């Protein structure tokens, strides 16, 4: 039975150390090896170190390891994970490869050097251990030449995308001699343990994503030059309007690095012929940028240059920087009014204006190229679409985008534009198949060899949109829907704007808990929006506050608090499944749940102080109780320290940078779970409900809560008052801090008094309502709604 309990990464550059960090994040001890230096640095000489000293010999890998702590975005989900990475070198530590189950080579992209490394690996590895290369395009078959039989059976390509923690794609590339069981294991391990979207690719230049992605980027550069567009104009329409990342085309190239991009393009250029080779030729102006060292973000300038607060764009003809421009046409404005990426694309691509011409001329060649490579780079079109979505952040893969535009209409226009459409696509249409994908009764199929075949998905992937088509909806309103997840578990899905919590969602929470208590094993609160929940409906709160409707707001806050208590004391387990942004009211929904199953990428915090308020839905109380419950039984602890930590977390609006950091901040406790693969989050939450139910779940007993009282309140305020005197916070910040401290301290009671939860909720509600009425708090709320960032007043 194949297992990976320990790994080794060979090469400690940005990619190698990033992969090591990702392995450490999921709890796999990892040996990080690199070359031993040939000479001392000045600092080492000054310390009296010698070349044979271990600190010197491990310097390169240890430097790579330490850099992980300073990188942004952070490679670690928690900084403590660095302890699972051990630095070493190729001369002293290769024999330790016999300790590990997976060896990942991440050295320089040079076949001869890689083969030298694999020669050593073959000598020292233990039989049965998996060996893989993180190459971005060198032939995996050629790397395996001359190796032992056991090595060949356990060898394959595993191409991570940078940064490994955040980019979902893992391309797995077997050789002809890779054991099918090893391939199957790595695909499952990649998805279930590494949390990746795994695609099997063929051993062709640049595999799938970089082959098509680089082609698309170069076609876009050429169209910019041919059509007389500017860098900024292209980026203004090749981002979110067509379901691509905000970085669009040229900002993406700046982030990736022009040197890296040129290397990837050259890899294909050297291995293909004819018209395809011509596309992969780097344009002259980019060659000049490379000669100038204008690589993008890492060199301070590329297609863009920041001067003060202004961002300038490069003029490719003069290589001078000019003010950034945007493409403004009727089609661009029309597309912004459309709902959904498919409709936005249709409005743009078929428009007869400069935006429409640009997008047609860059998308249609990518459609044709993807269809031409179908069968050559991957066995099915689903793999190509998945690779582009997971590796390049496209919302729609090339075949999905083609479907969105209408295959027949697009093919006719391609023929009119003299674009060669591969025969299999025209054959498909001739046979009456008018789309690459079709959906029937909530099941998805894709076209393959003259028929539709079901899309094979891991059972852990739950698609709510398709599930609702299959099972229907138990009940819905404008803010939320209650859905049957199967196996006796229901799911409450938020779908208001930004999943902000209003009265409609509170009504559905009450209905959902009642319904589940009667007819289900338990409830999952989760969704598949962009973010779990950005908090309460701030616009509604501000409008009521400005109209002086404090009575109305009091009623809303009571409803919110009561709904949270209903979650907490439900007789059936309620499991919250937060992911991405989980702020304010979103965190308040999670805290009282019987269990939290968070995504690894969960950014959770009670941030109300940033808009001049404190949490009003029970968040202060629940975070305080969560801290108390994390204290070991039978051990005396300092109640004041608990209050201090909760006060600091809320007053400073701390937001976790991962699910694990949310645990460190006590939003999650030791029993709560973290799902590495976000696509498996709802499945994992559902299993948590089933597990709690099978263990005979009962609602928690209502207990009184010990508080620090008046003396603790004074202690909490000391720090805030000194910060006002030092000019770090404003007088209004102090007013918010006083209200927060009063709530957490439990008001004017002696230290150690035990109070009931309703008493704390009443304190919280009174403090919230008093701050809502403050003009400066209203200014903060308005500023957040208009500008999207906090105001310091």
């Amino acid at each position: 039975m194949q297992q990976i309990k320990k790994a080794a990464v060979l090469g400690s550059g940005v990619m190698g150390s990033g992969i090591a960090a990702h392995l450490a994040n999921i709890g796999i001890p990892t040996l990080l090896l690199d070359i031993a230096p040939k000479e001392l640095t000045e600092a080492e000489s000054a310390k009296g170190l010698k070349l044979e000293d271990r600190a010197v010999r491990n310097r390169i890998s240890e430097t790579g390891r330490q850099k992980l702590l300073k990188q942004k975005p952070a490679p670690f989900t928690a900084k403590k994970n660095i302890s699972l990475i051990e630095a070493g070198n190729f001369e002293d530590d290769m024999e330790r490869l016999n300790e590990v189950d997976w060896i990942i080579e991440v050295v320089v992209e040079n076949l001869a050097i890689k083969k030298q490394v694999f020669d050593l690996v073959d000598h020292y590895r233990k039989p049965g251990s998996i060996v893989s290369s993180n190459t971005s395009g060198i032939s995996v078959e050629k790397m395996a030449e001359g190796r032992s039989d056991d090595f060949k059976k356990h060898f394959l390509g595993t191409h991570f995308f940078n940064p490994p923690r955040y980019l979902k794609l893992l391309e797995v590339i077997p050789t002809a001699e890779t054991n099918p069981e090893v391939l199957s294991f790595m695909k499952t391990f990649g998805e279930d343990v590494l949390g990746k979207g795994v695609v099997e690719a063929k051993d062709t230049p640049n595999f799938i994503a970089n082959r098509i992605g680089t082609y698309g980027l170069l076609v876009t550069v050429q169209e910019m030059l041919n059509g007389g567009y500017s860098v900024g104009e292209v980026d203004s329409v090749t981002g979110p309007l067509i379901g691509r990342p905000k970085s669009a085309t040229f900002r993406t190239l700046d982030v990736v690095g022009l040197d890296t991009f040129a290397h990837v393009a050259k890899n294909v250029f050297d291995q293909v012929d004819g018209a395809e080779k011509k596309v992969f030729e780097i344009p002259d102006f980019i060659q000049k940028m490379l000669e100038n060292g204008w690589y993008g973000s890492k060199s301070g300038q590329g297609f863009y240059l920041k001067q003060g607060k202004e961002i300038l764009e490069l003029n490719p003809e003069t290589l001078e920087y000019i003010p950034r421009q945007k493409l403004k046409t009727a089609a661009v404005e029309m597309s912004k009014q459309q709902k959904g990426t498919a409709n936005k694309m249709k409005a743009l691509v078929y428009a007869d204006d400069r935006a429409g011409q640009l997008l047609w001329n860059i998308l249609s060649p990518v459609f044709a190229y993807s269809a031409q490579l179908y069968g050559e780079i991957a066995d099915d079109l689903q793999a190509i679409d998945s690779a582009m979505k997971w590796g390049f952040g496209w919302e729609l893969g090339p075949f999905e985008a083609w479907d969105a535009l209408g295959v027949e209409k697009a093919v006719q226009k391609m023929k009119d534009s003299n674009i060669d459409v591969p025969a299999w696509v025209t054959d498909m249409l001739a046979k009456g198949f008018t789309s690459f994908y079709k959906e029937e009764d909530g099941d998805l199929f894709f076209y393959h060899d003259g028929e539709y075949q079901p899309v094979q998905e891991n059972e852990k992937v739950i698609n709510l949109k398709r599930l609702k088509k299959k099972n229907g909806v138990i009940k819905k309103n404008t803010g939320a829907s209650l859905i049957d997840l199967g196996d006796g578990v229901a799911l409450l899905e938020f779908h208001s704007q930004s999943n902000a919590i209003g009265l409609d969602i509170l009504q559905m929470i009450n209905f959902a808990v009642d319904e589940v208590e009667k007819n289900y094993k338990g409830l999952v609160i989760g969704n598949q929006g962009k973010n779990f929940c950005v908090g309460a409906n701030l616009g509604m709160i501000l409008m009521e506050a400005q109209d002086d409707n404090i009575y109305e707001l009091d009623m809303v806050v009571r409803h919110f608090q009561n709904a949270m208590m209903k979650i907490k004391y439900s007789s059936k387990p309620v499991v919250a499944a937060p992911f991405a942004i989980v702020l304010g009211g979103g965190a308040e929904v999670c805290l009282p749940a019987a269990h939290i199953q968070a995504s690894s990428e969960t950014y959770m915090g009670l941030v109300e102080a940033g808009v001049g308020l404190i949490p009003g839905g029970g968040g202060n109380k629940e975070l305080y109780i969560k801290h108390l419950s994390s204290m070991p039984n039978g051990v005396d602890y300092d109640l004041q320290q608990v209050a201090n930590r909760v006060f600091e977390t809320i007053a400073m609006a701390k937001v976790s940078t991962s699910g694990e950091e949310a645990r460190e901040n006590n939003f999650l406790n030791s029993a709560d779970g973290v799902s590495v693969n976000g696509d498996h989050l709802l499945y994992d939450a559902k299993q948590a409900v089933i597990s709690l139910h099978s263990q005979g779940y009962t609602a928690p007993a209502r207990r009184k809560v010990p508080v620090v009282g008046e003396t603790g309140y004074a202690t909490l305020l000391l720090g805030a008052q000194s910060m006002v005197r030092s000019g770090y916070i404003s007088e209004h910040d102090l007013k918010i801090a006083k209200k927060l401290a009063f709530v957490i301290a439990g008001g004017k009671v002696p230290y150690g008094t035990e109070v009931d939860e309703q008493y704390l909720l009443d304190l919280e509600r009174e403090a919230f309502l008093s701050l809502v009425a403050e003009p400066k708090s209203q200014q903060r709320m308005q500023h957040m709604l208009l500008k999207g960032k906090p105001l310091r007043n």
Side-chain angles (χ1 to χ4, degrees):
M1 180 72 179
Q2 200 85 47
Q3 281 186 310
I4 294 174
K5 292 182 176 177
K6 189 172 183 180
V9 175
L10 312 182
S12 65
V14 171
M15 199 68 203
S17 59
I19 292 170
H22 188 66
L23 293 170
N25 288 337
I26 55 176
I28 296 177
T30 302
L31 194 57
L32 182 63
L33 306 184
D34 213 314
I35 57 173
K38 299 298 179 203
E39 53 189 36
L40 295 169
T41 63
E42 285 182 20
E44 286 166 343
S45 297
K47 286 180 186 172
L49 293 170
K50 300 188 178 73
L51 266 178
E52 56 268 25
D53 286 333
R54 193 72 178 170
V56 175
R57 293 179 72 72
N58 290 349
R59 183 218 310 148
I60 293 171
S61 54
E62 181 59 29
T63 300
R65 179 177 173 271
Q66 290 299 329
K67 277 183 179 174
L68 290 167
L69 294 171
K70 296 173 186 169
Q71 276 177 31
K72 289 187 179 177
F76 289 121
T77 54
K79 286 188 175 178
K80 66 183 180 186
N81 295 345
I82 194 171
S83 65
L84 286 171
I85 302 175
E86 184 183 353
N89 68 78
F90 290 158
E91 291 174 25
D92 302 327
D93 299 299
M94 288 305 265
E95 63 188 33
R96 293 191 60 194
L97 295 184
N98 63 20
E99 301 170 11
V100 308
D101 309 299
W102 182 20
I103 300 157
I104 313 160
E105 169 274 310
V106 201
V107 301
V108 64
E109 286 287 85
N110 176 301
L111 180 60
I113 292 172
K114 286 180 187 290
K115 290 190 81 161
Q116 284 174 19
V117 170
F118 286 131
D119 193 28
L120 286 167
V121 169
D122 205 356
H123 180 72
Y124 288 110
R125 65 180 278 273
K126 66 182 177 187
S129 61
I130 293 170
V131 184
S132 70
S133 172
N134 183 63
T135 179
S136 57
I138 291 177
S139 170
V140 182
E141 293 280 358
K142 286 181 180 171
M143 283 188 233
E145 285 173 2
R147 301 275 58 86
S148 67
D149 286 347
D150 188 78
F151 182 105
K152 287 178 180 177
K153 283 177 186 172
H154 293 86
F155 179 68
L156 67 170
T158 50
H159 181 211
F160 288 82
F161 275 62
N162 193 31
R165 171 183 163 186
Y166 300 95
L167 278 184
K168 192 169 179 69
L169 181 60
L170 175 65
E171 291 177 323
V172 175
I173 311 101
T175 71
E177 295 185 62
T178 305
N179 184 330
E181 289 176 7
V182 170
L183 173 62
S184 175
F185 168 79
M186 282 308 292
K187 286 162 79 170
T188 304
F189 178 82
E191 190 173 345
D192 289 358
V193 182
L194 295 175
K196 295 295 173 190
V198 181
V199 168
E200 185 180 337
K202 298 195 174 188
D203 191 15
T204 55
N206 285 12
F207 313 127
I208 301 174
N210 276 344
R211 179 83 170 267
I212 291 171
T214 307
Y215 179 91
L217 287 165
L218 283 164
V219 163
T220 305
V221 172
Q222 286 157 12
E223 184 55 30
M224 174 186 75
L225 298 173
N226 295 339
Y229 298 91
S230 85
V231 163
E233 283 181 327
V234 172
D235 271 3
S236 68
V237 294
T238 57
L241 278 182
I242 59 167
R244 303 280 175 84
K246 281 183 183 173
S247 54
T249 301
F250 294 103
R251 179 81 187 103
T252 295
L253 286 170
D254 272 357
V255 170
V256 168
L258 214 52
D259 51 344
T260 303
F261 171 70
H263 170 80
V264 172
K266 186 177 184 304
N267 194 48
V268 182
F269 178 83
D270 289 343
Q271 298 181 67
V272 297
D273 299 304
E276 186 179 4
K277 192 179 190 78
K278 185 75 180 159
V279 174
F280 283 93
E281 196 173 336
I282 299 290
D284 289 343
F285 86 95
I286 293 183
Q287 291 286 11
K288 285 176 187 166
M289 289 173 71
L290 289 166
E291 288 164 19
N292 292 346
W294 298 354
Y295 300 141
S297 304
K298 60 185 166 189
S299 65
Q301 69 186 99
F303 289 102
Y304 291 101
L305 173 67
K306 192 171 183 183
Q307 281 192 347
K309 289 190 175 179
E310 190 181 9
I311 295 173
L312 305 175
E313 64 173 71
L314 185 74
N315 180 328
E317 289 182 11
T318 64
L319 289 189
E320 292 173 346
Y321 288 94
I322 58 172
R324 190 162 49 163
Q325 300 170 59
K326 286 186 177 179
L327 191 54
K328 293 176 181 172
T329 73
V332 170
E333 292 311 308
M334 197 194 309
S335 75
K336 287 177 182 174
Q337 311 308 315
Q338 302 298 317
K339 282 196 170 179
T341 300
N343 291 325
K344 288 181 191 293
M345 284 180 74
K346 268 189 215 167
L348 278 163
V349 172
Y350 290 132
D352 189 19
D353 64 16
R354 287 188 79 226
Q357 287 157 12
L358 169 68
L359 288 169
W360 173 257
N361 289 342
I362 63 180
L363 289 174
S364 54
V366 173
F367 294 164
Y369 188 62
S370 301
Q372 181 191 321
L373 292 175
Y374 164 66
E376 180 188 330
I377 61 173
D379 282 329
D380 60 67
L381 51 88
Q382 184 199 352
I384 292 174
D385 278 346
S386 295
M388 298 318 299
K389 290 190 289 185
W390 293 334
F392 276 72
W394 294 6
E395 193 178 318
L396 301 172
F399 295 104
E400 290 171 326
W402 203 339
D403 268 354
L405 296 178
V407 180
E408 288 175 292
K409 185 176 180 181
V411 164
Q412 188 54 56
K413 185 164 181 176
M414 287 160 87
K415 287 177 177 175
D416 295 343
S417 307
N418 293 319
I419 293 170
D420 286 333
V421 179
W424 73 267
V425 177
T426 50
D427 289 348
M428 178 185 94
L429 292 173
K431 288 172 183 168
F433 298 99
T434 56
S435 63
F436 297 108
Y437 293 90
K438 73 165 185 174
E439 198 178 306
E440 277 183 4
D441 302 322
D443 292 319
L444 193 62
F445 300 83
F446 67 94
Y447 180 81
H448 184 72
D449 283 350
E451 62 178 356
Y452 284 116
Q453 295 190 359
V455 167
Q456 298 297 322
E457 280 182 322
N458 189 317
E459 64 161 355
K460 297 178 181 178
V461 176
I462 294 173
N463 183 300
L464 289 184
K465 199 180 279 185
R466 298 209 301 268
L467 187 74
K468 284 188 278 187
K469 287 180 184 173
K470 190 178 276 192
N471 294 355
V473 172
I474 300 165
K475 185 174 180 177
K476 72 177 285 188
N477 64 18
T478 51
S481 295
L482 188 63
I483 305 159
D484 189 336
L485 266 188
D487 300 316
V489 180
L491 177 129
L492 182 64
E493 175 197 27
F494 298 172
H495 45 61
S496 59
Q497 187 172 358
S498 301
N499 289 340
I501 298 170
L503 283 170
D504 48 4
I505 284 181
L506 297 178
Q507 286 166 1
M508 281 301 295
I509 288 173
N510 287 318
F511 172 82
V513 174
D514 288 342
E515 177 68 17
V516 163
E517 285 188 323
K518 285 185 221 149
N519 299 314
Y520 290 85
K521 292 175 181 174
L523 176 70
V524 172
I525 300 178
N527 63 75
Q528 291 176 332
K530 187 179 174 188
N531 297 300
F532 175 77
C533 177
V534 298
N537 187 332
L538 191 62
M540 180 272 290
I541 293 170
L542 176 61
M543 189 171 68
E544 297 290 359
Q546 287 175 333
D547 290 346
D548 212 19
N549 284 338
I550 300 302
Y551 175 78
E552 285 285 325
L553 278 173
D554 180 66
M555 180 201 73
V556 171
V557 177
R558 284 176 193 270
H559 275 313
F560 199 143
Q561 291 182 343
N562 291 341
M564 298 307 101
M565 291 291 272
K566 199 167 179 97
I567 289 171
K568 182 169 186 174
Y569 291 108
S570 165
S571 64
K572 299 286 179 70
V574 177
V575 173
F579 64 93
I581 292 175
V582 189
L583 300 179
E588 288 183 297
V589 166
C590 298
L591 285 167
H595 180 87
I596 299 175
Q597 185 67 37
S599 167
S600 185
E601 297 305 324
T602 295
Y603 312 111
M604 184 183 274
L606 294 167
V607 297
E608 287 83 351
V611 288
L613 305 171
I614 69 164
N620 308 284
K621 165 184 74 78
E622 286 300 336
L623 188 61
Y624 180 65
I625 291 172
K626 201 103 173 172
H627 272 69
L628 289 177
S629 65
S630 71
M631 296 295 152
N633 284 334
V635 174
D636 283 338
Y637 57 86
D638 186 343
L639 198 58
Q640 185 69 52
Q641 281 193 353
V642 174
N644 291 354
R645 193 166 172 207
V646 175
F647 174 76
E648 185 182 306
T649 300
I650 300 173
M652 296 179 70
K654 284 186 181 178
V655 177
S656 70
T657 60
S658 68
E660 280 306 326
E661 198 172 281
R663 199 192 304 280
E664 290 179 356
N665 292 346
N666 274 99
F667 284 95
L668 273 62
N669 62 28
S670 58
D672 291 327
V674 173
S675 297
V676 181
N677 192 325
D679 289 344
H680 298 177
L681 178 61
L682 293 182
Y683 174 87
D684 293 342
K686 177 183 170 182
Q687 297 312 305
V689 167
I690 292 168
S691 174
L692 287 166
H693 177 267
S694 67
Q695 291 164 28
Y697 180 83
T698 55
R702 293 177 185 253
R703 290 193 175 91
K704 292 201 167 186
V705 184
V707 293
V708 292
E710 274 191 284
T711 56
Y713 169 70
T715 304
L716 290 174
L717 275 190
L718 279 175
Q721 286 163 337
S722 67
M723 287 176 84
V724 171
R725 287 193 293 272
S726 307
Y728 284 114
I729 63 172
S730 68
E731 288 291 342
H732 192 58
D733 290 323
L734 180 62
K735 184 175 279 189
I736 298 163
K738 282 180 176 176
K739 298 281 185 186
L740 176 63
F742 192 75
V743 170
I744 289 168
K748 294 181 177 180
V749 296
Y751 182 96
T753 302
E754 293 193 341
V755 299
D756 65 35
E757 288 183 78
Q758 190 57 52
Y759 167 79
L760 289 174
L761 286 172
D762 292 343
L763 287 183
E764 191 168 306
R765 191 177 67 257
E766 288 159 16
F768 179 88
L769 292 171
S770 69
L771 285 169
V772 152
E774 290 279 342
K776 285 192 173 179
S777 286
Q778 292 178 16
Q779 287 168 16
R780 289 190 180 192
M781 286 186 267
Q782 189 150 12
H783 192 270
M784 178 59 77
L785 288 166
L786 292 173
K787 306 280 186 183
K789 53 187 178 185
L791 169 72
R792 297 300 305 277
N793 60 351

